[in-house]
Amino acid sequence: MEYYNIKRWRKPLKAIRAIKRTFAPVTKAMGWVAKHMGWLKYLNPKRYLKILDWYIIKKFIGTYFYSIALIISISIVIDVNENLAKFTQYHAPLKAIVFDYYMNFVPYFANLFSPLFVFIAVIFFTSKLAGNSEIISMLAAGVSKRRLIKPYMLSAALISALTFYLGSYVIPKGTIVRQNFETLYKNKKKNTAAENVQMQVGKGVIAYIQFYDNNRKRGYGFCLDKFENKKLVSHMTATEIQYDTIAESKYHWKATNWRIRDMRGMREKITNGMVCDTIVMMEPTDLVFSKGQQETFTSPQLREYISKQIDRGSGNVVQYEVEYHKRIASSFASFILTTIGLSLSSRKRKGGMGMYLGIGLALSFTYIMLQTVSATFAIQANTPAMLAAWIPNIIFSVIAWFCYRNAPN
């Protein structure tokens, strides 16, 4: 009987041993990972976030997106009511209205007023927690003020990262589509030409174009001078110059009816021809400036453009510098307004949160207005762009610290 039982289980045992041999490398690898890469457990969010953290983060993020959806829906209704006559007048197709205009209108304004939505979300759900005596229960259970603000700051960090990414890399591409739609169907004509443009395109190299048409990417009355030790050594002229939009690299131009004078001391060499390909370190975006053009550049493109224009000695870079620094500074607004909102709404008060909600909304609107005023002042008065972008953050950081210090323990 015993022999029969052993014989009966011999095949399953062989199968189990075969499976062990097959998965032996995997088991060994998992053992090595568990032994040498145990630090990965520190990357698990559940190690740091407790039930209280998840509860507040879900409330914060949910209320934030709910407020965005509510206010943007109202904005869309108002915008449709204002522009419906223009859309009808210029025969804008429904597909372009929905996908080219409003699909880019919503992210742009949602990101623009994101600090306000953050503040509204914090005030709304925190005052509700305080009204239900949940904040009092947390503090009575031994949760400190510093511990309570932790999930708020984590939520603000997530929103800041999202708004910075959208504002720096995604929304500028959509802004191009939206502005092109407005040019066609809202009678907001863009600047597509420039006259008497002169700029430094290289060290000691000055370019001049009498008239430039951006629609055709063509310039008329072109001149290119090269200087060495403040002496003119080369002078090129061309009747027309055409930008090559299909070239594999940038800065390719085609000159028509060209002439070059090379001057070396008392000697002069003249060369001319009908058509030639040349490289001039300038692009169409360097020649024509339109309102809101800085909003169509991603942050890397803005940084490259600013550096290039400063090297050329151009004075028309302040608005681009302000836009670049404002994108970084605006991402910190979530932390500031979250601190103010939590400090004002965490106390349970008789009669509701009416007065403190009004104070908080006044502060948030003042913050947004100060951002706009400082940016305009920097452009008009030629003040440092970084200082202008960070002044609202500096001022309201002091206000946030004062509100946090005087919040209930």
Side-chain angles (χ1 to χ4, degrees):
M1 191 70 178
E2 292 179 1
Y3 172 77
Y4 173 77
N5 289 339
I6 294 172
K7 188 175 181 180
R8 179 183 177 184
W9 292 100
R10 186 173 294 167
K11 289 184 178 180
L13 288 172
K14 287 183 178 180
I16 292 172
R17 293 191 188 101
I19 292 172
K20 286 183 177 180
R21 286 194 298 268
T22 303
F23 289 94
V26 178
T27 307
K28 187 177 180 180
M30 291 177 64
W32 184 89
V33 170
K35 182 178 179 181
H36 296 88
M37 302 187 69
W39 55 270
L40 289 175
K41 63 183 180 182
Y42 295 103
L43 301 179
N44 187 2
K46 294 183 178 180
R47 184 182 179 89
Y48 305 99
L49 300 179
K50 308 303 179 184
I51 296 177
L52 176 63
D53 299 320
W54 286 114
Y55 178 71
I56 293 178
I57 288 173
K58 289 177 182 178
K59 289 279 188 180
F60 194 155
I61 301 298
T63 310
Y64 170 76
F65 284 107
Y66 175 78
S67 62
I68 285 180
L70 182 63
I71 296 176
I72 291 298
S73 299
I74 297 172
S75 302
I76 290 175
V77 172
I78 296 173
D79 190 79
V80 169
N81 186 47
E82 289 183 353
N83 296 309
L84 187 59
K86 290 184 178 180
F87 293 158
T88 305
Q89 178 184 354
Y90 292 102
H91 307 288
L94 180 62
K95 182 179 179 181
I97 294 174
V98 175
F99 293 100
D100 292 348
Y101 183 67
Y102 283 109
M103 287 295 289
N104 296 301
F105 170 91
V106 170
Y108 175 78
F109 283 96
N111 198 68
L112 181 64
F113 294 105
S114 179
L116 177 61
F117 297 141
V118 167
F119 182 81
I120 291 174
V122 172
I123 284 284
F124 183 78
F125 88 88
T126 305
S127 60
K128 189 174 182 180
L129 293 179
N132 295 334
S133 301
E134 295 182 60
I135 299 292
I136 296 175
S137 302
M138 295 175 193
L139 297 176
V143 177
S144 64
K145 187 165 59 174
R146 183 178 299 178
R147 173 66 182 86
L148 181 62
I149 203 174
K150 173 186 171 183
Y152 283 87
M153 292 296 103
L154 289 175
S155 302
L158 292 175
I159 294 173
S160 295
L162 178 63
T163 54
F164 176 75
Y165 176 76
L166 291 176
S168 299
Y169 298 96
V170 179
I171 292 177
K173 298 177 183 178
T175 303
I176 298 174
V177 179
R178 181 173 57 84
Q179 288 184 356
N180 291 336
F181 176 90
E182 291 175 348
T183 301
L184 292 174
Y185 302 114
K186 289 186 67 176
N187 199 26
K188 291 184 178 181
K189 300 302 180 184
K190 294 171 64 176
N191 185 21
T192 59
E195 295 182 355
N196 299 322
V197 180
Q198 184 175 357
M199 66 174 62
Q200 181 174 325
V201 297
K203 187 176 181 180
V205 181
I206 307 296
Y208 171 80
I209 299 178
Q210 185 176 3
F211 180 80
Y212 177 76
D213 183 5
N214 194 47
N215 291 329
R216 303 175 66 184
K217 301 291 188 293
R218 180 176 295 179
Y220 304 90
F222 176 72
C223 176
L224 187 69
D225 294 331
K226 183 177 181 180
F227 295 86
E228 290 182 1
N229 298 324
K230 299 182 180 180
K231 293 183 179 180
L232 182 65
V233 296
S234 178
H235 177 72
M236 176 183 178
T237 58
T239 305
E240 295 180 2
I241 185 169
Q242 176 73 46
Y243 185 69
D244 191 352
T245 57
I246 59 175
E248 295 181 357
S249 58
K250 300 186 293 185
Y251 311 126
H252 282 260
W253 295 82
K254 183 179 289 185
T256 303
N257 193 16
W258 57 275
R259 182 182 182 185
I260 300 177
R261 296 171 57 194
D262 291 320
M263 288 157 277
R264 296 288 184 246
M266 300 298 294
R267 297 184 178 183
E268 181 177 333
K269 181 181 178 182
I270 299 177
T271 309
N272 53 34
M274 288 301 298
V275 179
C276 77
D277 293 328
T278 183
I279 294 179
V280 184
M281 302 298 289
M282 64 181 183
E283 297 179 88
T285 54
D286 302 329
L287 304 174
V288 177
F289 301 96
S290 58
K291 184 179 180 180
Q293 182 178 347
Q294 68 274 13
E295 297 177 353
T296 63
F297 292 163
T298 63
S299 290
Q301 290 173 341
L302 266 178
R303 186 168 57 248
E304 180 184 357
Y305 182 84
I306 292 169
S307 177
K308 184 170 62 177
Q309 293 299 101
I310 290 176
D311 292 339
R312 290 173 175 173
S314 175
N316 191 26
V317 295
V318 178
Q319 56 185 346
Y320 296 90
E321 290 179 322
V322 169
E323 177 68 20
Y324 178 76
H325 292 292
K326 188 173 73 173
R327 292 177 183 179
I328 301 173
S330 297
S331 61
F332 288 90
S334 299
F335 297 100
I336 297 171
L337 294 179
T338 295
T339 305
I340 296 175
L342 174 61
S343 303
L344 292 176
S345 60
S346 59
R347 178 178 296 185
K348 185 176 181 179
R349 295 177 174 89
K350 293 181 179 180
M353 288 293 301
M355 184 181 70
Y356 291 91
L357 180 60
I359 294 173
L361 288 175
L363 287 173
S364 60
F365 278 116
T366 304
Y367 177 82
I368 295 173
M369 184 184 69
L370 187 59
Q371 281 185 321
T372 305
V373 170
S374 61
T376 305
F377 183 77
I379 295 172
Q380 299 296 330
N382 201 24
T383 57
M386 181 180 293
L387 179 62
W390 283 93
I391 279 178
N393 283 3
I394 295 171
I395 295 174
F396 276 82
S397 293
V398 176
I399 297 174
W401 178 83
F402 176 79
C403 293
Y404 177 75
R405 293 285 295 178
N406 290 275
N409 290 319

